């Protein structure tokens, strides 16, 4: 699996360099390059990101504050011309701290660390994406087969998983769940909903009707990804 990656840097030449470097590496998929951290912050609120490569000194908000304010934190590589931020950066448990000017070899080494860490996280996480998922609810581990899931609803800090026979509430985020579910079977259609594609009976730009007759609204920020 390729890591979904975004780059943030307010300097145009640095943006170009990162774009070239990222595209040379087979283990990461570049989603976007941002010059304004605020735009990147808003993007990450609605799009799953595995790896964030960001400068530290930027207008509006610096990279450290940006990472601190993310609801769901991806793996992070900081790039900066100022080594003085190193201690502050590593207190956030970032993958690497790369000082500019950045050679491709140094950048590749940082990304390889991120890939290895991602693989470790995936290996130690609950089994998701296979024939079933395992979630914690009511102080126990519950196995839910993927073919039984109709949809999932974000509910504050929890997720409601609606199946053929029951509704299970587990402490998790839709964003984290979306990153791990198989994309050929599940789709985020709203900031508060993930649906099982085989369970969609009908749909329009404003709503989706599921196999249990539940009517779920569609979010305008997600419509470009509709492909039932």
């Amino acid at each position: 699996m390729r890591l979904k990656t975004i780059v943030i840097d307010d300097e145009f030449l640095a943006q170009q360099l990162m774009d070239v470097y990222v595209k040379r590496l087979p283990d990461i998929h570049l989603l976007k390059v941002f010059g304004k951290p605020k735009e990147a912050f808003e993007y990450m609120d609605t799009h799953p990101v595995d790896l964030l490569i960001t400068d530290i000194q930027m207008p509006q908000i610096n990279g450290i504050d940006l990472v601190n304010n993310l609801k769901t934190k991806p793996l992070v590589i900081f790039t900066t011309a100022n080594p003085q931020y190193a201690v502050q950066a590593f207190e956030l448990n970032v993958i690497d701290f790369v000082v500019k000017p950045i050679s491709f070899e140094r950048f590749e080494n940082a990304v390889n660390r991120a890939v290895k860490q991602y693989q470790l996280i995936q290996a130690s996480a609950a089994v998701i994406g296979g024939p079933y998922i395992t979630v914690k609810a009511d102080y126990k581990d519950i196995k839910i087969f993927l073919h039984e899931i109709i949809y999932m609803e974000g509910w504050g800090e929890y997720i409601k998983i609606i199946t053929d026979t029951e509704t299970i509430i587990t402490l998790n985020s839709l964003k984290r769940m979306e990153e791990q579910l198989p994309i050929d079977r599940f789709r985020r259609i709203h900031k508060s909903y993930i649906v099982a594609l085989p369970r969609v009976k009908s749909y329009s730009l404003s709503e989706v009707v599921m196999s249990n007759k539940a009517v779920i609204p569609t979010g305008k920020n997600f419509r470009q990804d509709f492909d039932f």
Side-chain angles (χ1 to χ4, degrees):
M1 180 183 292
R2 299 169 70 198
L3 275 64
K4 295 182 286 290
T5 303
I6 68 168
V7 171
I8 313 172
D9 202 302
D10 62 313
E11 297 179 359
F12 180 68
L13 291 179
Q15 293 175 30
Q16 288 187 312
L17 181 66
M18 290 295 98
D19 182 74
V20 171
Y21 280 2
V22 168
K23 289 177 179 177
R24 288 177 62 182
L25 299 174
D27 292 319
I28 54 178
H29 169 58
L30 182 62
L31 298 174
K32 278 198 169 191
V33 177
F34 291 92
K36 297 180 179 179
K38 183 178 179 181
E39 292 178 358
F41 187 86
E42 292 172 351
Y43 179 87
M44 285 187 284
D45 193 43
T46 56
H47 295 77
V49 174
D50 300 319
L51 175 62
L52 168 61
I53 302 170
T54 181
D55 190 16
I56 292 181
Q57 284 189 303
M58 295 182 291
Q60 299 178 323
I61 180 172
N62 69 46
I64 291 173
D65 289 338
L66 182 145
V67 171
N68 265 324
N69 285 286
L70 288 174
K71 294 178 183 177
T72 303
K73 291 179 175 58
L75 301 174
V76 177
I77 295 173
F78 278 130
T79 61
T80 181
N82 296 290
Q84 66 192 43
Y85 291 105
V87 173
Q88 202 174 350
F90 280 114
E91 287 177 350
L92 296 176
N93 295 318
V94 300
I95 293 297
D96 210 338
F97 181 92
V98 185
V99 179
K100 298 177 180 179
I102 304 169
S103 68
F104 175 73
E105 290 74 21
R106 179 66 182 88
F107 181 76
E108 183 179 29
N109 181 265
V111 169
N112 285 341
R113 289 186 183 183
V115 171
K116 289 178 181 177
Q117 182 64 22
Y118 183 81
Q119 291 170 342
L120 287 172
I121 292 171
Q122 293 297 100
S124 62
V127 179
I128 294 183
Y132 63 88
I133 63 174
T134 302
V135 301
K136 290 188 178 296
D138 297 326
Y139 304 101
K140 57 187 176 183
D141 292 329
I142 299 176
K143 181 188 291 186
I144 309 172
F145 286 94
L146 295 185
H147 70 269
E148 296 180 343
I149 298 173
I150 302 173
Y151 66 94
M152 301 180 182
E153 179 182 356
W155 205 44
E157 296 181 347
Y158 295 83
I159 295 176
K160 291 197 293 185
I161 303 174
I162 291 79
T163 74
D164 289 317
T165 58
E166 61 184 333
T167 296
I168 298 166
I169 299 176
T170 182
L171 180 63
N172 207 331
S173 72
L174 278 184
K175 191 170 186 178
R176 191 178 300 115
M177 185 69 77
E178 180 189 15
E179 291 172 355
Q180 301 177 77
L181 287 165
I183 61 174
D184 61 327
R185 297 176 66 176
F186 293 88
R187 188 66 45 83
R188 181 97 173 258
I189 65 166
H190 186 277
K191 66 179 182 180
S192 298
Y193 292 96
I194 293 174
V195 301
L197 298 182
R199 297 307 193 94
V200 173
K201 301 301 290 184
S202 63
Y203 64 93
S204 67
L205 284 179
S206 62
E207 64 183 29
V208 170
V209 179
M210 306 304 295
S211 60
N212 66 343
K213 299 184 180 180
V215 179
I216 298 175
T218 57
K220 63 179 182 179
N221 292 333
F222 298 88
R223 288 171 189 164
Q224 63 184 4
D225 297 325
F226 286 3
D227 183 17
F228 297 125

